[in-house]
Amino acid sequence: MKNSRAAIVLLAMLLAACGEPGNKAVMPSSSDLKTLYIQSCYSCHSRGTKGAPRSGNAEDWRPRLEKGMDTLLQHTTGGFKAMPAKGMCGSCSREDYHALITFMATPHQTSPKAAEND
């Protein structure tokens, strides 16, 4: 009986922590860019998976931006470290990549509660 209660409490805690992607995340205002971001960038750049610079985090992006947009675009299209070539967006144009990088490299406003949890 004790184990059943513990399992129920644990399950309730896990479910309470779940949320839809983007609940706390800032998303691009353009619906087309938002779709590309969610499909291709969000899974790694929202959390910094395998060293990916986190979306909206100026410190993560500063050293990359210092190399220039041309280098960032080259790394995106050719692959760099853990990021695969084309950043998992085979249909993205150079302009799409530029817009996605610009969005991710721009500091985002989040609610005070979301910022506390980052």
Side-chain angles (χ1 to χ4, degrees):
M1 184 77 146
K2 206 174 199 180
N3 286 339
S4 295
R5 281 190 205 148
I8 291 170
V9 169
L10 179 60
L11 180 61
M13 289 171 56
L14 289 171
L15 290 173
C18 290
E20 301 243 345
N23 262 359
K24 295 179 187 175
V26 175
M27 292 288 165
S29 57
S30 157
S31 61
D32 291 340
L33 193 63
K34 179 179 178 179
T35 298
L36 292 175
Y37 175 71
I38 290 170
Q39 291 174 348
S40 305
C41 310
Y42 179 82
S43 64
C44 293
H45 288 279
S46 66
R47 295 177 184 88
T49 303
K50 295 186 180 182
R54 292 168 292 169
S55 295
N57 186 299
E59 286 301 312
D60 286 4
W61 283 95
R62 183 172 288 115
R64 290 155 175 93
L65 291 171
E66 288 172 355
K67 294 177 183 179
M69 185 58 77
D70 286 339
T71 299
L72 287 170
L73 289 167
Q74 183 180 25
H75 287 169
T76 302
T77 57
F80 188 72
K81 296 186 180 181
M83 187 173 77
K86 298 187 177 185
M88 297 183 60
C89 185
S91 66
C92 285
S93 67
R94 187 171 176 87
E95 292 77 23
D96 291 333
Y97 291 127
H98 189 282
L100 287 163
I101 291 167
T102 300
F103 166 74
M104 290 188 289
T106 301
H108 302 155
Q109 285 289 72
T110 57
S111 68
K113 185 171 183 157
E116 290 171 11
N117 293 330
D118 285 344

